[in-house]
Amino acid sequence: MQQYSVEMRGIVKRFGSVVASDQVDFSANAGEIHALLGENGAGKSTVMSMLSGVYRADEGEILIHGVPAKIRSPKDAAQLGVGMVFQNFRLVQSLTAAENIVLGEKSSFWRGSKWIKRKHEEIEALGERFGLKFPVDRPVWQLSVGEQQRVEIVKTLYRGADIIILDEPTSVLTPGEVEQLFETLHVMKAAGKTVIMTTHKMKEVMASSDRISVMRKGRMITTLVTKETNELELARLMVGKEVSITRQEREELAGEDLLVVSNLEVYADHGRKALDGLSLKVRSGEIVGVAGVAGNGQKELAEVLTGLRTWRSGEIEFDGSPVKTASVRGAIDAGISHVPENRMKSGLAGRLGSVDNLLFKSYRSNEHSRFGFLKAAKNRSWSQELVHRFNVKTPELETPVQQLSGGNQQKLLFAREVSHQPKLMVAVHPTQGLDVGATAGVHELLMELRASGSGVLLISEDLDELLQLSDRILVIYNGSIIGESDHEQADREQIGLLMAGIREREKEGSAV
Ligand SMILES: Nc1ncnc2c1ncn2[C@@H]1O[C@H](COP(=O)(O)OP(=O)(O)O)[C@@H](O)[C@H]1O
Ligand SMILES: [Mg+2]
């Protein structure tokens, strides 16, 4: 029997009622690049976090080089030669790249300059060997994201890892950097290392891996040899074959055109073209879903519509008037509300309590302040009422919102965004990371908005959610809408193929 460098058997991990990893079997070989593919929320990070000791499995066993391993902490994992490069880097910003890499070595800061010089050389040599260039003596905050990632990779190599896990490593990189990263992975592979990369991007998987394991909804679906599969097959495995879920009958409510976007061209950070001739329409009383694999322009679309990002060309018309410039204030005043992707980064102020967070966007209005002074007592009772109505569980109104659970933070954010009856709600992955109960609550709120005549643009990677809520589903791919399906016709498989950039069913087998 072949001996794998990594073998995970029957791994179970629960978070409350969510089974993030349901009896997962996974194995990888030394000298291979193994991609772990799946939609957002499939359980990829969770499974790899158990291999790297960040989480402990509830059930199951892990073998490293054929030997049963007890991995209780990242330190245990490191001792077994397992290193992980996380999606959110764990570098100390004020220390240099080299200091970050040697951090944790015995009394590393009390050594003399000779020692430091030797370490720099050692790190540079390691970087050179694996094609990972970065300035070793610069503080990390001065490095680009791509460079920081290289520091993280060298850190794992420096610590002697021969099983290297990279969690969604390409999501922060430019296309050129992605190419470079793949070259590095190949050098690692040639050096006999086990390389495991999680991702939800099929093209990258096809371009870089030897084998592919596909996860869906906490389950391991299958493992394939990359050369023997194609994007079409992968798309099907990722989204599943169940044909559309049943939805309750509902009344057609759509009214006037509310938002009309034509031919939008938008550049992202790094000067990459993020939206390329995108057009769409949202009417009042309608939920328009935008399906797509992350990184196809969703983020930039939401940013433009909420005034956070400017556009190069194309037209935006809202509520009958053309929108001329990007302005957050302008968007708020026009009645556009925003539930952003990262609620703690751009939605809520973690250290402030519920009242302040609820007032964030409306403190200037006469209802909440007079002559520049906030009406404290009134605002408190107003907040109390919202917290109650939206069922936000918080010990006190003043409790810093970073102490609330993800579901309660999201409810608070919705309470704020809905409290002034928006004309249009732009919601980005509004239920990501929420448990079943909180998810149902958010869905209800979106349906209530629809019923009250608001338009909703729902950007989500969760196909079930989109199928359940949307009146129409648009598929975004490479910065434009490449397909549309109304809710009667909505078909999981069709949408899944469009998400992979495959337009027609007839192309089966010849998909590239
Ligand atoms: N720390 C956590 N607490 C609660 N739920 C979590 C946690 N981490 C992940 N989950 C849930 O577990 C599921 C799998 O998540 P994850 O492993 O991050 O998926 P992926 O990496 O494939 O996107 C999701 O439903 C997610 O919401
Ligand atoms: Mg993940």
Side-chain angles (χ1 to χ4, degrees), residues 21 40 79 98 166 173 178 183 206 211 234 246 296 365 424 432:
S21 170
N40 254 348
Q79 263 157 15
L166 301 106
L173 301 180
V178 169
E183 276 169 36
M206 291 302 294
R211 287 197 301 157
L234 292 175
T246 44
N296 276 288
S365 74
L424 175 72
Q432 203 169 74

Side-chain angles (χ1 to χ4, degrees), residues 495-509:
I495 295 169
L497 296 181
L498 285 167
M499 285 167 64
I502 299 164
R503 279 175 204 256
E504 299 150 47
R505 272 171 189 232
E506 297 81 72
K507 294 220 173 123
E508 262 177 57

Side-chain angles (χ1 to χ4, degrees), residues 8-129:
M8 303 176 83
R9 293 182 189 154
I11 300 286
V12 176
K13 179 75 189 172
R14 298 182 199 91
F15 294 111
S17 57
V18 176
V19 188
S21 170
D22 190 358
Q23 296 286 343
V24 164
D25 295 329
F26 172 82
S27 51
N29 291 319
E32 80 163 338
I33 300 174
H34 197 123
L36 184 53
L37 180 72
E39 289 188 291
N40 254 348
K44 308 177 295 291
S45 300
T46 301
V47 169
M48 286 303 123
S49 296
M50 287 183 280
L51 182 54
S52 66
V54 175
Y55 294 147
R56 265 197 236 177
D58 296 331
E59 291 169 34
E61 59 173 345
I62 299 177
L63 287 82
I64 303 291
H65 300 298
V67 182
K70 285 215 160 49
I71 303 180
R72 293 205 191 82
S73 68
K75 211 169 154 192
D76 288 348
Q79 263 157 15
L80 292 161
V82 179
M84 179 155 166
V85 175
F86 296 91
Q87 220 173 337
N88 302 314
F89 304 147
R90 304 185 168 191
L91 299 170
V92 184
Q93 296 288 317
S94 56
L95 297 183
T96 66
E99 283 165 347
N100 267 284
I101 290 166
V102 300
L103 197 68
E105 269 195 323
K106 258 194 193 147
S107 59
S108 48
F109 291 103
W110 284 269
R111 307 288 179 99
S113 59
K114 254 202 193 131
W115 183 84
I116 293 172
K117 189 159 169 284
R118 210 181 64 232
K119 286 292 159 189
H120 279 194
E121 283 165 6
E122 215 176 297
I123 289 164
E124 265 163 351
L126 199 56
E128 192 131 328
R129 178 168 165 222

Side-chain angles (χ1 to χ4, degrees), residues 444-485:
E444 232 167 80
L445 286 170
L446 291 173
M447 289 304 283
E448 278 169 24
L449 272 175
R450 174 186 183 271
S452 69
S454 301
V456 176
L457 188 72
L458 171 63
I459 299 177
S460 175
E461 287 180 57
D462 182 341
L463 259 188
D464 288 336
E465 174 170 275
L466 289 167
L467 289 164
Q468 196 182 330
L469 297 175
S470 311
D471 294 283
R472 291 184 291 131
I473 297 180
L474 314 176
V475 181
I476 190 169
Y477 181 76
N478 265 348
S480 66
I481 302 298
I482 68 160
E484 169 167 352
S485 140

Side-chain angles (χ1 to χ4, degrees), residues 352-355 358 380 383-384 386-388 390-405 407-409 411-412:
L352 299 180
S354 296
V355 180
L358 284 168
R380 201 168 193 286
S383 303
Q384 184 69 63
L386 278 175
V387 161
H388 181 73
F390 286 86
N391 200 14
V392 180
K393 299 219 166 55
T394 174
E396 305 278 344
L397 280 177
E398 288 72 24
T399 305
V401 301
Q402 65 197 10
Q403 291 175 18
L404 308 185
S405 72
N408 283 306
Q409 289 171 359
K411 282 189 263 181
L412 190 73

Side-chain angles (χ1 to χ4, degrees), residues 15 18 43 74 140 165 217 306 312 325 384-385 410 412-413 428 458 478:
F15 294 111
V18 176
V140 161
I165 307 160
K217 300 209 162 131
T306 54
R312 182 74 59 96
T325 53
Q384 184 69 63
E385 201 185 302
Q410 192 68 318
L412 190 73
L413 192 62
V428 187
L458 171 63
N478 265 348

